């Protein structure tokens, strides 16, 4: 069977890793890349050994050879670029956050449904073998009843300028919030009942933020994202009889369980291109002709967007 041909929009930092992930996947291949200028398209294509390149996004989506468009452009352009790809009949994978608001995310899903095309927000953490194992530990009751989740993300010294502009979709919450929301919602199945947050704002955006989530079955999640401090990014899940520690949970290659007897069990999955598990999932969904991922599904993306909207009301009031 022919592989699914990916077209990549833009030449941003994340592109190299996604290209390697598609090339590691069994059913995908990188077919083309585009940029707003011919020069940067040609340069990136040469660096990544991509034979087809375009100096505009329009040319990429018009190429009938492209099956799937990957949208890793800056946050505020995701919606426009995803709509452009859908208008030309492409399946679409949109980097997180899918759009800047719940309303826009809903609109993107509706447009993809209308056109009968697959759409998913990229969220690699849900497809990692570490996450699957952690979920299994929780379901087996290895830490008793889960009661407390702690999420810490530290991204000090952010150097790219659009991060500091609110209208471009910058800020700590839009940068990393969906990693936390989707991971917590994936592991904790009861409904979220309360969400409260606080932030430290710079000239335009939240430079660090905290939020507390309370779930129906009395689980609390305490969450921090900071660009102003250095620390250890991690998720710790505490239960009545033990805990699970996951370093860099959104790109985790290892985790540790300390169970009721104090025994430790460690797991390791040293895959260099951790996005490839997600790409394999996307390929399988498209092959099956389904329009949404059953894992990073429409509800998950809409929830992430709704929680961001709600926290923004707290942060920017
Ligand atoms: N899933 C993950 O693990 C992960 C990790 C990092 C980032 N991300 C996401 O990936 C996306 C890109 O992040 P990045 O760090 O790669 O960003 P970046 O390096 O700043 O690149 C973004 C690209 O967007 C394109 N672009 C289109 N319209 C633009 C405009 N009006 N102004 C500036 N650039 C424009 C540019 O490509 P051309 O100049 O070539 O057109 C630029 O290179 C973000 O949404 C981010 O949240 C995801």
């Amino acid at each position: 069977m022919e592989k699914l041909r990916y077209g990549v929009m833009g030449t941003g930092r994340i592109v190299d890793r996604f290209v390697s992930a598609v090339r590691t996947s069994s059913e995908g291949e990188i077919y083309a890349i585009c940029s707003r200028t011919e020069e940067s398209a040609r340069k990136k294509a040469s660096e990544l050994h991509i034979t087809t390149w375009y100096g505009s996004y329009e040319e990429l989506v018009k190429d009938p050879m492209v099956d799937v468009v990957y949208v890793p452009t800056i946050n505020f352009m995701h919606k426009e670029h995803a709509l452009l790809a859908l208008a030309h009949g492409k399946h679409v994978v949109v980097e997180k956050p899918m759009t800047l608001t719940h309303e826009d995310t809903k609109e993107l899903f509706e447009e993809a449904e209308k056109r009968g095309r697959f759409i998913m927000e990229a969220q690699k953490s849900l497809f990692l073998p570490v996450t699957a194992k952690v979920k299994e530990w929780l379901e087996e009751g290895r830490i008793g009843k889960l009661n407390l989740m702690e999420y810490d993300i530290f991204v000090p010294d952010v150097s790219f300028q659009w991060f500091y502009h609110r209208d471009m979709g910058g800020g700590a919450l839009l940068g990393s919030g969906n990693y936390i929301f989707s991971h917590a919602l994936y592991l904790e199945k009861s409904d979220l009942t309360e969400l409260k947050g606080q932030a430290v704002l710079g000239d335009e955006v939240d430079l660090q933020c905290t939020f507390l989530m309370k779930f129906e079955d009395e689980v609390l999640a305490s969450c921090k994202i900071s660009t102003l401090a250095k620390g250890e990014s991690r998720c710790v899940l505490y239960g009545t009889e033990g805990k699970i520690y996951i370093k860099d949970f959104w790109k985790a290659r290892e985790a540790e369980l300390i169970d009721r007897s104090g025994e430790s069990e460690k797991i390791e999955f040293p895959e260099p291109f951790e996005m490839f598990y997600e790409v394999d999932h996307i390929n399988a969904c498209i092959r099956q002709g389904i329009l949404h991922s059953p894992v990073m599904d429409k509800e998950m993306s809409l929830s992430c967007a709704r929680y961001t909207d709600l926290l923004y009301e707290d942060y920017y009031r």
Side-chain angles (χ1 to χ4, degrees):
M1 193 185 285
E2 279 197 4
K3 292 190 170 191
L4 287 166
R5 292 176 296 262
Y6 282 76
V8 177
M9 273 187 176
T11 54
R13 283 171 297 255
I14 187 69
V15 163
D16 297 29
R17 279 157 56 201
F18 187 80
V19 165
S20 299
V22 172
R23 287 176 171 159
T24 309
S25 76
S26 45
E27 292 197 61
E29 68 180 18
I30 294 293
Y31 167 72
I33 189 162
C34 67
S35 176
R36 288 168 300 165
T37 66
E38 280 204 11
E39 192 191 343
S40 64
R42 191 188 308 111
K43 183 165 174 282
K44 197 60 153 178
S46 157
E47 276 168 29
L48 297 176
H49 310 289
I50 302 172
T51 49
T52 305
W53 54 266
Y54 295 111
S56 75
Y57 291 17
E58 288 72 18
E59 285 171 278
L60 179 94
V61 296
K62 281 183 185 156
D63 186 333
M65 292 294 284
V66 174
D67 299 310
V68 192
V69 171
Y70 173 55
V71 182
T73 52
I74 66 174
N75 291 348
F76 87 109
M77 296 301 293
H78 289 178
K79 181 183 172 191
E80 181 180 323
H81 292 151
L83 287 174
L84 179 68
L86 288 170
H88 288 80
K90 308 302 183 190
H91 303 293
V92 184
V93 178
V94 191
E95 262 307 340
K96 56 81 200 165
M98 193 168 210
T99 74
L100 303 191
T101 64
H102 179 266
E103 198 184 327
D104 285 350
T105 295
K106 190 162 162 274
E107 191 185 321
L108 264 193
F109 275 105
E110 284 167 0
E111 188 61 21
E113 281 160 17
K114 201 170 83 189
R115 294 183 180 276
R117 289 294 174 267
F118 175 83
I119 190 163
M120 191 185 102
E121 177 177 357
Q123 199 50 260
K124 64 191 175 196
S125 72
L126 306 190
F127 304 96
L128 300 172
V130 165
T131 307
K133 190 68 191 170
V134 167
K135 196 170 170 57
E136 196 181 298
W137 282 338
L138 291 174
E139 285 166 2
E140 288 168 354
R142 296 284 299 277
I143 60 164
K145 181 191 173 302
L146 173 66
N147 274 335
L148 191 61
M149 308 168 102
E150 266 180 21
Y151 285 95
D152 293 330
I153 298 183
F154 293 92
V155 197
D157 311 319
V158 180
S159 58
F160 53 94
Q161 279 314 300
W162 63 266
F163 178 87
Y164 297 94
H165 296 288
R166 191 163 171 201
D167 58 355
M168 291 184 152
L173 184 67
L174 273 175
S176 301
N178 285 8
Y179 287 140
I180 298 177
F181 297 139
S182 58
H183 197 261
L185 293 179
Y186 186 64
L187 295 180
E188 166 50 40
K189 284 294 183 191
S190 77
D191 290 340
L192 186 86
T193 52
E194 282 180 56
L195 176 66
K196 290 194 172 99
Q198 289 202 329
V200 170
L201 304 181
D203 289 342
E204 292 189 25
V205 298
D206 52 311
L207 297 176
Q208 60 180 4
C209 63
T210 64
F211 49 93
L212 197 60
M213 301 193 275
K214 185 173 182 188
F215 292 88
E216 201 166 52
D217 67 357
E218 304 295 315
V219 177
L220 285 182
S222 155
C223 314
K224 309 185 201 86
I225 304 168
S226 182
T227 66
L228 299 177
K230 290 193 171 125
E232 194 175 73
S233 296
R234 62 186 194 156
C235 164
V236 190
L237 306 171
Y238 297 92
T240 49
E241 298 182 54
K243 67 176 180 179
I244 298 169
Y245 177 88
I246 318 164
K247 181 173 179 284
D248 295 337
F249 66 93
W250 70 95
K251 53 182 177 184
R253 291 177 169 80
E254 57 191 62
E256 181 177 10
L257 163 82
I258 315 243
D259 69 12
R260 58 177 72 92
S261 61
E263 289 289 308
S264 156
E265 182 179 335
K266 288 187 181 163
I267 50 164
E268 281 182 33
F269 294 91
E271 163 57 46
F273 305 118
E274 82 285 3
M275 287 173 121
F276 109 87
Y277 302 106
E278 173 182 29
V279 174
D280 262 352
H281 175 79
I282 293 163
N283 293 341
C285 290
I286 294 173
R287 287 278 189 236
Q288 287 166 38
I290 56 178
L291 300 188
H292 305 144
S293 159
V295 180
M296 186 61 204
D297 59 14
K298 178 179 173 179
E299 276 315 307
M300 184 78 88
S301 287
L302 287 173
S303 297
C304 291
R306 194 169 67 247
Y307 302 158
T308 303
D309 283 0
L310 287 171
L311 286 173
Y312 266 23
E313 284 173 22
D314 285 348
Y315 296 171
Y316 293 101
R317 66 175 164 221

